[in-house]
C-alpha cells in the first residue's frame, strides 16, 4: 500500500490537474514520521534514477535536519555524489535560517546544497525552489518533486496562511510534479493539521497500535511499529482508505499488511437515515399490469360470475347432473338431497361485502 | 262542495307557496350552492317546471392557476411561493424540490465542505450556471489567482429530450397508474385524468445541467458577471464593498420599476480557505457575513457560500452555521467499502452525501421538517446531478437484483447498524 502512494507520486501531475501532495502526519505517541519521510524520499530518488517517474529531479527543503544527513543517507544506500548532483537539490534552511552567521564565514559551495538565509520570507522560499528547478538544467517542461522535511519548522517562522499558499502555489505550478511533507500534529493547534489535510491529496497518519497511550509497556513498541493509515482523495470524490503496519528495521522501514477491519470506524461515523425502497422494478411493474382486478373485466360481455367462496354454482350443477345420472341407476336406494340454505340466497348478500367480489 | 273548495284552495295555495319558495330559494341558492339545488327541485315538484340545475358554485381549482401576488409577473427564473416568498433555482431540480421550491431570495445558503472531496464545487457550478442561463447577475469570489478560469468549468444546460421524463417526476401525478377495483366503475364514463402540470414552464425555472459540457463562451463573457480573487485579499473590505455595490443594484425597493426585477446571485467559494489573505481574522470574516446577510435581506439576491468546516475552530464554526439561513453539507464516501455497499443500494454510483441541516423560511413560524435529511449525490447517465434518498439494501442478498435501481421512496426509519 505504501507502494500505492509511491506510485501516485511517481505518476505525478496529471494533465489539467494540480500536483498530488502527500502529507505524513505523526504524533507524540507514534513518532515514526521522520522514518516514513526518509522511506518516501529514498524511494523517490531511486525512481528518479530509474527515470520511471514524471519528475526529473527532486528539491528537498531541509528545515529539520542538516543536508549532510540526507546526503549521507543517500550515499549509504548506494548513490554517489555524481549521481546526486544530477537529480537532487537541497535548499538548506537548517544551517542558518535567520541569517545570524556572518557573511564572512567560509561556506563551501556545493552544487547540491543552497543555503537560504531568510526563512521567514515564504515568497523567497518559493522563488528559491523554482530557481533550483530551473538551474538544474532542463527546459520548462521538466518537472521536479519537492519535499519538505518539516512543515512545523516552517510554521514557526511564518503564518499558516503563507505556508498554505506556498504549498498551493507549488501544487498548481507547471514545473512541479509532486509534493510531500512531514508534520507533527502535536506541535500546533488542530487547525493547522486540518489545513494541511485540506490542501493535500494524500494523507498518511501514523498511529500507535495500542490505544493505551499512558502505558509504559507499550512505549517501546510504539517506537518500532506503528499503524500507517492512508487516506487518498480520488478525482471522482471518493476517498480510498488503506492501512498497513510499519516496522522500523535496521536498514529501513518495512510495510506489512494488516488484517483488521478499519471499515467499522468509517460506517459508524456515517449513520444516515436510511429508508426502504418501495419502488417497483420493471419486471414487477409488468407483473402488476397483468393482474386482473375483481371488477375490471365486467362490461365485456362475459357472464358475471360472483365468487362466493364456495364451489361455483355451475360446477355444482354439473356435478349434480353427473350424480343424477349415476343416481338414476340407484334409484331404489335411498338418497339424500341436501340443499344448503345459503344456496337459495342470491350471491349478492348484504352480510358479507366480499360476497359480490367478482374475480 | 266543501271538498272541492278545499281542493281549490289547496290548488291555489300551492302554486303560491311554490312561487314563494322558489323565489326564496332562488335568492339563497346564490350563496348555498348545491344544497339548495336539490330543494329547488323538491319544492317545484308540485306543479311548476323544475328550473334547470344551477351549476354549483364550487369549482375544481385548476392546477395551472397561479397564486395571486402583488407583483403581476415574476421575472424569469424566479418562482413565487406562499407567504410572500420568492425562490430562485439552485440549478439542481432535486434540491429545489427538497428545499420546497429553491433558494429563498434574500437568504444566505452555506455549504460545509468536506476536505476530502470536491462535491461543493458541483453545487457551486450548478448554482452559477443556472444564474447565467437565466440572465441573472452573478458575483463570484474564489481563492484562486484566476477566478475567471473557474467559469470555464461551468456546465451547460442538458439538451432536453421531451420524450424522456424522469420517472420521479411522474409519480405524484401518476394517478392513471393506480388501478382501482370498483364494482360501479362500469357505470361511469372514463374520468379525465388530471392534467399534468405544465412541464415547460417548470423546466425553464430549474434546468438540468450536463456536467460534461461546458457553458457557451458568450454566456460567460456577459457583462453582468464579476469575479474576485480572494487569495490575495488581506482584509475583507474590498470584498464587502464589491458585494454591497452588487446588491444595491438589485434592491427590492423599486417594485414598480419592472426593469429592476431581475434576481442576482453571489457565489463565494471556500470563504475560509487557508490560503486566503484574511484567513487568521475569524471575527472579521464573521462580521463580513453579517453585513452581507443584512444587505441581502433588502435585495433580490441569494448568496451561496462554501467553506471548509474542519479548518475552523469549533466555536467559530458554530457561529458560521448559525449565520446561515439554509445550511447544507457535503460528505465524501469511502471507496470500496464493503460494509457501506451492503448497507445501501446504488453504492457504486454514489459520489457523496448531501446533508440538509437547515432550510430557510421567511414570514412564517412554521419550520420545514424534511422526511429525510441525507441524500446521495449521483450522476444520472454521467451527465446531470441527481439527489436521491438513501435506500437500505435488502438483507437477503438473493433478492438484490430486483432492487438494483434505487429510487426515492416513502419514509421508514432504519438505523444503519440495527437489523
Amino acid at each position: 500500500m505504501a507502494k500505492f502512494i509511491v506510485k501516485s507520486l511517481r505518476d505525478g501531475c496529471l494533465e489539467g490537474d494540480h500536483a498530488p501532495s502527500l502529507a505524513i502526519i505523526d504524533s507524540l505517541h507514534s513518532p515514526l514520521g521522520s522514518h516514513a519521510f526518509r522511506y518516501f524520499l529514498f524511494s523517490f530518488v531511486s525512481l528518479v534514477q530509474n527515470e520511471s517517474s514524471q519528475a526529473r529531479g527532486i528539491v528537498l527543503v531541509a528545515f529539520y535536519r542538516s543536508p549532510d544527513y540526507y546526503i549521507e543517507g543517500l550515499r549509504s544506500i548506494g548513490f554517489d555524489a555524481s549521481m546526486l548532483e544530477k537529480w537532487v537539490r537541497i535548499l538548506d534552511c537548517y544551517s542558518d535560517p535567520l541569517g545570524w552567521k556572518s557573511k564572512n564565514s567560509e561556506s563551501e559551495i556545493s552544487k547540491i546544497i543552497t543555503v537560504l538565509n531568510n526563512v521567514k520570507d515564504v515568497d523567497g522560499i518559493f522563488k528559491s525552489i523554482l530557481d533550483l528547478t530551473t538551474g538544474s538544467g532542463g527546459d520548462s517542461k521538466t518537472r521536479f518533486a519537492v519535499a519538505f522535511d518539516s512543515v512545523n519548522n516552517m510554521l514557526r517562522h511564518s503564518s499558516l496562511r503563507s505556508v498554505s499558499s506556498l504549498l498551493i502555489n507549488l501544487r498548481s505550478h507547471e514545473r512541479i510534479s509532486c509534493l510531500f511533507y512531514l508534520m507533527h500534529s502535536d506541535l500546533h493547534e488542530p487547525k493547522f493539521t486540518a489545513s494541511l489535510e485540506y490542501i493535500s491529496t494524500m494523507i498518511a497518519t501514523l498511529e500507535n497500535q495500542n490505544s493505551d497511550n499512558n502505558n509504559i509497556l507499550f512505549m517501546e513498541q510504539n517506537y518500532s511499529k506503528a499503524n500507517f493509515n492512508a487516506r487518498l482523495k480520488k478525482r471522482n470524490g471518493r476517498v480510498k482508505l488503506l492501512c498497513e503496519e510499519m516496522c522500523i528495521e535496521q536498514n529501513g522501514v518495512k510495510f506489512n499488511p494488516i488484517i483488521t477491519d478499519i471499515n467499522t470506524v468509517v460506517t459508524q461515523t456515517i449513520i444516515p437515515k436510511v429508508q426502504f425502497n418501495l419502488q417497483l422494478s420493471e419486471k414487477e411493474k409488468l407483473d402488476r399490469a397483468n393482474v386482473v382486478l375483481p371488477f375490471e373485466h365486467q362490461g365485456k360481455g362475459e357472464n358475471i360470475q360472483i365468487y362466493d367462496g364456495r364451489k361455483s354454482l355451475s360446477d355444482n350443477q354439473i356435478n349434480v347432473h353427473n350424480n343424477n345420472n349415476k343416481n338414476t341407476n340407484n334409484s331404489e336406494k335411498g338418497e339424500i338431497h341436501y340443499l344448503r340454505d345459503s344456496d337459495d340466497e342470491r350471491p349478492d348478500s348484504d352480510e358479507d361485502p366480499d360476497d359480490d367480489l367478482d374475480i | 262542495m266543501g271538498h272541492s273548495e278545499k281542493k281549490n284552495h289547496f290548488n291555489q295555495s300551492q302554486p303560491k307557496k311554490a312561487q314563494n319558495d322558489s323565489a326564496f330559494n332562488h335568492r339563497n341558492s346564490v350563496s348555498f350552492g348545491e344544497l339548495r339545488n336539490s330543494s329547488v327541485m323538491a319544492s317545484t315538484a308540485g306543479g311548476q317546471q323544475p328550473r334547470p340545475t344551477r351549476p354549483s358554485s364550487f369549482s375544481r381549482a385548476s392546477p395551472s392557476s397561479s397564486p395571486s401576488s402583488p407583483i403581476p409577473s415574476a421575472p424569469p427564473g424566479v418562482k413565487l411561493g406562499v407567504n410572500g416568498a420568492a425562490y430562485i433555482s439552485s440549478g439542481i431540480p432535486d434540491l429545489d424540490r427538497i428545499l420546497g421550491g429553491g433558494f429563498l431570495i434574500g437568504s444566505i445558503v452555506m455549504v460545509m465542505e468536506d476536505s476530502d472531496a470536491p462535491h461543493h464545487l458541483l453545487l457551486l457550478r450548478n448554482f452559477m450556471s443556472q444564474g447565467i442561463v437565466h440572465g441573472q447577475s452573478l458575483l463570484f469570489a474564489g481563492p484562486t489567482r484566476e477566478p475567471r478560469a473557474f467559469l470555464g468549468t461551468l456546465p451547460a444546460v442538458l439538451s432536453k429530450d421531451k420524450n424522456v421524463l424522469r420517472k420521479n417526476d411522474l409519480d405524484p401525478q401518476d394517478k392513471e397508474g393506480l388501478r382501482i377495483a370498483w364494482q360501479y366503475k362500469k357505470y361511469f364514463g372514463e374520468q379525465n385524468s388530471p392534467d399534468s402540470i405544465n412541464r415547460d414552464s417548470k423546466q425553464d425555472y430549474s434546468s438540468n445541467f450536463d456536467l460534461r459540457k461546458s457553458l457557451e463562451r458568450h454566456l460567460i463573457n456577459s457583462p453582468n458577471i464579476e469575479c474576485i480573487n480572494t487569495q490575495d485579499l488581506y482584509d475583507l473590505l474590498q470584498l464587502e464593498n464589491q458585494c454591497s455595490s452588487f446588491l444595491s443594484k438589485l434592491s427590492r425597493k423599486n417594485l414598480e420599476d419592472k426593469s429592476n426585477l431581475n434576481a442576482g446571485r453571489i457565489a463565494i467559494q471556500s470563504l475560509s480557505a487557508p490560503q486566503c489573505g484574511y484567513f487568521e481574522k475569524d471575527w472579521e470574516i464573521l462580521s463580513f457575513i453579517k453585513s452581507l446577510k443584512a444587505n441581502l435581506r433588502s435585495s433580490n439576491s441569494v448568496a451561496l457560500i462554501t467553506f471548509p468546516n474542519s479548518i475552523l475552530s469549533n466555536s467559530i464554526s458554530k457561529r458560521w452555521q448559525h449565520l446561515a439561513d439554509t445550511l447544507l453539507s457535503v460528505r465524501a464516501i469511502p471507496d470500496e467499502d464493503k460494509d457501506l455497499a451492503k448497507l445501501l443500494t446504488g453504492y457504486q454510483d454514489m459520489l457523496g452525501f448531501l446533508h440538509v441541516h437547515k432550510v430557510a423560511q421567511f414570514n412564517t413560524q412554521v419550520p420545514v421538517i424534511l422526511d429525510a435529511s441525507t441524500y446521495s449525490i449521483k450522476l444520472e447517465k454521467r451527465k446531470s446531478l441527481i439527489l436521491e434518498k438513501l435506500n437500505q439494501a435488502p438483507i437477503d442478498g438473493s433478492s438484490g437484483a430486483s432492487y438494483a435501481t434505487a429510487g426515492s421512496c416513502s419514509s421508514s426509519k432504519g438505523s444503519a447498524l440495527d437489523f
Side-chain angles (χ1 to χ4, degrees):
Chain A
M1 182 232 26
K3 296 195 178 81
F4 203 80
I5 299 181
V6 172
K7 182 175 169 294
S8 317
L9 290 177
R10 182 197 76 195
D11 292 339
C13 191
L14 300 169
E15 194 58 52
D17 202 5
H18 290 327
S21 48
L22 165 69
I24 304 168
I25 300 178
D26 72 352
S27 64
L28 188 59
H29 300 292
S30 59
L32 303 176
S34 37
H35 294 275
F37 179 78
R38 245 174 85 115
Y39 170 81
F40 284 108
L41 178 66
F42 294 168
S43 321
F44 199 82
V45 174
S46 46
L47 281 179
V48 170
Q49 181 198 19
N50 296 340
E51 294 191 5
S52 56
S53 68
Q54 189 194 41
R56 286 279 156 262
I58 180 166
V59 174
L60 171 64
V61 182
F63 270 94
Y64 182 53
R65 290 214 158 96
S66 152
D68 295 327
Y69 168 83
Y70 293 109
I71 295 178
E72 281 305 316
L74 284 167
R75 275 216 194 104
S76 64
I77 295 185
F79 298 102
D80 61 3
S82 60
M83 289 152 79
L84 292 180
E85 268 179 26
K86 269 198 280 177
W87 302 308
V88 177
R89 290 285 175 271
I90 301 183
L91 188 62
D92 181 6
C93 304
Y94 171 86
S95 316
D96 191 11
L98 298 172
W100 288 347
K101 291 190 188 158
S102 63
K103 299 216 174 110
N104 294 334
S105 64
E106 280 186 17
S107 53
E108 41 173 277
I109 300 179
S110 160
K111 262 196 174 175
I112 303 177
I113 304 174
T114 312
V115 180
L116 189 68
N117 285 326
N118 185 6
V119 155
K120 284 192 191 271
D121 177 17
V122 177
D123 291 335
I125 300 181
F126 184 63
K127 259 182 54 184
S128 317
I129 294 175
L130 290 179
D131 287 340
L132 286 175
T133 58
T134 51
S136 9
D139 48 12
S140 60
K141 288 250 182 66
T142 53
R143 290 173 179 261
F144 280 76
V146 182
F148 291 85
D149 74 342
S150 169
V151 174
N152 297 89
N153 287 23
M154 264 207 294
L155 287 170
R156 258 166 54 188
H157 299 291
S158 351
S159 67
L160 175 61
R161 185 252 146 197
S162 36
V163 171
S164 312
S165 51
L166 167 70
L167 292 174
I168 286 182
N169 292 338
L170 281 175
R171 267 192 76 198
S172 53
H173 202 272
E174 57 195 2
R175 299 201 60 137
I176 306 294
S177 163
C178 63
L179 289 176
F180 53 101
Y181 32 85
L182 167 67
M183 176 164 177
H184 307 293
S185 56
D186 304 43
L187 297 179
H188 290 282
E189 288 172 23
K191 188 161 81 158
F192 289 68
T193 320
S195 305
L196 205 70
E197 291 184 5
Y198 176 76
I199 299 167
S200 325
T201 56
M202 294 181 276
I203 301 152
T205 13
L206 293 168
E207 282 160 18
N208 48 350
Q209 295 188 315
N210 307 301
S211 42
D212 188 4
N213 291 330
N214 291 327
N215 201 335
I216 298 180
L217 294 173
F218 294 124
M219 227 193 268
E220 195 190 332
Q221 195 185 16
N222 288 341
Y223 281 102
S224 59
K225 284 189 189 175
N227 276 347
F228 187 82
N229 297 330
R231 224 162 68 210
L232 308 172
K233 301 181 196 176
K234 291 168 70 168
R235 282 191 89 172
N236 60 358
R238 292 225 181 167
V239 179
K240 201 173 181 81
L241 296 165
L242 300 163
C243 187
E244 268 185 1
E245 187 194 48
M246 192 173 94
C247 304
I248 309 293
E249 287 169 7
Q250 273 282 342
N251 42 355
V253 164
K254 221 172 132 192
F255 288 93
N256 301 323
I258 303 183
I259 312 165
T260 53
D261 194 10
I262 56 165
N263 289 329
T264 48
V265 176
V266 169
T267 44
Q268 273 158 19
T269 53
I270 306 173
I271 308 180
K273 189 169 153 196
V274 186
Q275 289 100 14
F276 292 98
N277 183 11
L278 296 179
Q279 259 346 49
L280 300 172
S281 71
E282 283 306 317
K283 179 176 177 299
E284 288 166 353
K285 278 186 188 153
L286 276 174
D287 289 341
R288 188 172 91 145
N290 287 340
V291 167
V292 177
L293 292 181
F295 297 106
E296 263 185 356
H297 58 266
Q298 284 180 1
K300 287 183 192 168
E302 292 171 4
N303 282 339
I304 298 177
Q305 288 183 334
I306 307 294
Y307 175 72
D308 57 2
R310 306 182 284 259
K311 276 192 275 185
S312 62
L313 290 176
S314 55
D315 282 349
N316 273 345
Q317 280 162 6
I318 293 172
N319 282 342
V320 166
H321 193 67
N322 286 339
N323 281 341
N324 279 341
N325 282 340
K326 275 202 283 187
N327 287 344
T328 45
N329 300 332
N330 308 341
S331 54
E332 57 274 7
K333 291 198 183 152
E335 290 170 2
I336 300 176
H337 295 274
Y338 175 66
L339 275 178
R340 280 167 67 182
D341 283 345
S342 46
D343 271 352
D344 291 339
E345 288 175 8
R346 286 171 54 233
D348 189 358
S349 159
D350 288 337
E351 292 160 2
D352 186 358
D354 283 346
D355 273 351
D356 54 358
L357 206 57
D358 173 17
I359 297 180
Chain B
M1 265 303 197
H3 183 65
S4 61
E5 275 175 8
K6 267 192 205 165
K7 244 182 157 178
N8 284 339
H9 178 71
F10 179 74
N11 278 341
Q12 274 172 2
S13 65
Q14 187 146 13
K16 248 204 287 185
K17 177 175 176 293
Q19 243 179 12
N20 281 343
D21 270 359
S22 58
F24 176 72
N25 286 331
H26 172 72
R27 246 181 283 126
N28 280 356
S29 63
V30 171
S31 49
F32 285 114
E34 255 180 352
L35 198 57
R36 280 293 168 186
N37 283 341
S38 47
S39 50
V40 165
M41 287 181 70
S43 60
T44 54
Q48 297 222 343
Q49 266 187 358
R51 285 183 194 277
T53 39
R54 305 177 61 78
S56 79
S57 50
F58 296 126
S59 58
R60 184 180 295 279
S62 58
S64 55
S65 64
S66 53
S68 63
S69 58
I71 305 174
S73 65
V78 175
K79 185 162 84 165
L80 298 169
V82 296
N83 299 330
Y87 299 95
I88 56 174
S89 170
S90 62
I92 305 169
D94 284 331
L95 187 59
D96 287 342
R97 205 176 44 223
I98 294 166
L99 295 176
F103 290 150
L104 265 177
I105 284 189
S107 69
I108 280 195
V109 181
M110 290 216 191
V111 179
M112 297 200 284
E113 301 173 21
D114 187 346
S115 57
D116 291 339
H119 300 314
H120 57 279
L121 293 179
L122 291 171
L123 296 177
L124 208 61
R125 284 193 189 118
N126 279 301
F127 177 73
M128 288 165 62
S129 287
Q130 183 74 77
I132 294 178
V133 160
H134 280 155
Q136 293 163 348
S137 334
L138 176 69
L139 173 67
F140 170 65
T144 52
R145 287 267 145 80
E146 281 295 309
R148 280 257 158 201
F150 187 71
L151 294 180
T153 63
L154 295 182
V157 179
L158 187 64
S159 51
K160 285 174 275 195
D161 185 359
K162 291 251 179 348
N163 297 332
V164 177
L165 287 169
R166 285 206 36 234
K167 58 180 196 276
N168 290 336
D169 284 342
L170 287 175
D171 282 349
Q173 289 94 28
D174 198 357
K175 290 291 180 231
E176 302 140 17
L178 189 65
R179 291 154 54 197
I180 302 176
W182 184 36
Q183 67 179 11
Y184 300 117
K185 192 172 178 185
K186 59 182 179 176
Y187 300 112
F188 288 85
E190 272 300 314
Q191 298 286 343
N192 288 333
S193 51
D195 289 338
S196 56
I197 292 179
N198 188 1
R199 288 243 163 66
D200 284 338
S201 60
K202 197 171 173 204
Q203 289 289 55
D204 281 344
Y205 167 70
S206 164
S207 333
N208 271 319
F209 287 96
D210 184 350
L211 291 171
R212 293 192 295 190
K213 280 199 310 187
S214 55
L215 204 54
E216 290 95 5
R217 281 264 134 215
H218 69 96
L219 287 174
I220 296 177
N221 292 332
S222 84
N224 55 1
I225 300 180
E226 302 168 31
C227 291
I228 307 173
N229 165 11
T230 54
Q231 186 172 0
D232 295 333
L233 289 181
Y234 284 92
D235 60 26
L236 286 166
L237 207 54
Q238 187 189 345
L239 184 61
E240 200 170 326
N241 288 340
Q242 207 155 348
C243 287
S244 305
S245 56
F246 178 80
L247 291 174
S248 56
K249 285 186 240 156
L250 299 159
S251 165
R252 259 196 242 194
K253 288 180 207 145
N254 327 336
L255 285 178
E256 293 79 27
D257 181 5
K258 291 266 176 76
S259 64
N260 215 5
L261 275 186
N262 211 357
R265 296 175 188 232
I266 296 182
I268 305 181
Q269 180 193 346
S270 302
L271 184 59
S272 70
Q275 67 266 31
C276 298
Y278 51 82
F279 175 60
E280 310 282 338
K281 304 176 184 169
D282 289 326
W283 297 102
E284 276 197 27
I285 305 179
L286 283 172
S287 22
F288 163 71
I289 299 176
K290 276 187 206 134
S291 72
L292 178 66
K293 197 170 166 181
N295 284 339
L296 273 175
R297 288 281 191 266
S298 55
S299 98
N300 273 345
S301 305
V302 171
L304 176 71
I305 302 180
T306 72
F307 65 101
N309 187 34
S310 49
I311 298 184
L312 299 170
S313 67
N314 267 347
S315 57
I316 299 287
S317 164
K318 277 286 169 212
R319 289 187 146 94
W320 277 73
Q321 292 173 41
H322 278 299
L323 277 175
D325 293 317
T326 301
L327 185 62
L328 309 168
S329 68
V330 285
R331 273 252 288 253
I333 46 179
D335 203 16
E336 294 166 22
D337 182 348
K338 297 197 196 73
D339 288 338
L340 220 52
K342 270 191 277 181
L343 180 66
L344 302 168
T345 51
Y347 167 77
Q348 312 300 336
D349 307 322
M350 284 186 201
L351 294 179
F353 292 133
L354 176 81
H355 196 85
V356 180
H357 296 267
K358 242 202 294 188
V359 179
Q361 281 282 84
F362 284 169
N363 303 333
T364 170
Q365 301 248 353
V366 180
V368 171
I369 299 179
L370 303 166
D371 54 353
S373 55
T374 307
Y375 294 85
S376 64
I377 304 174
K378 291 190 186 180
L379 284 181
E380 189 186 13
K381 293 180 192 166
R382 300 206 196 140
K383 282 194 220 171
S384 56
L385 210 59
I386 53 171
L387 299 173
E388 286 183 350
K389 288 190 190 166
L390 297 173
N391 289 310
Q392 192 156 6
I395 303 166
D396 180 14
S398 61
S399 57
S402 64
Y403 289 82
T405 53
S408 57
C409 64
S410 58
S411 61
S412 165
K413 239 191 245 187
S415 163
L417 303 175
D418 296 346
F419 281 106

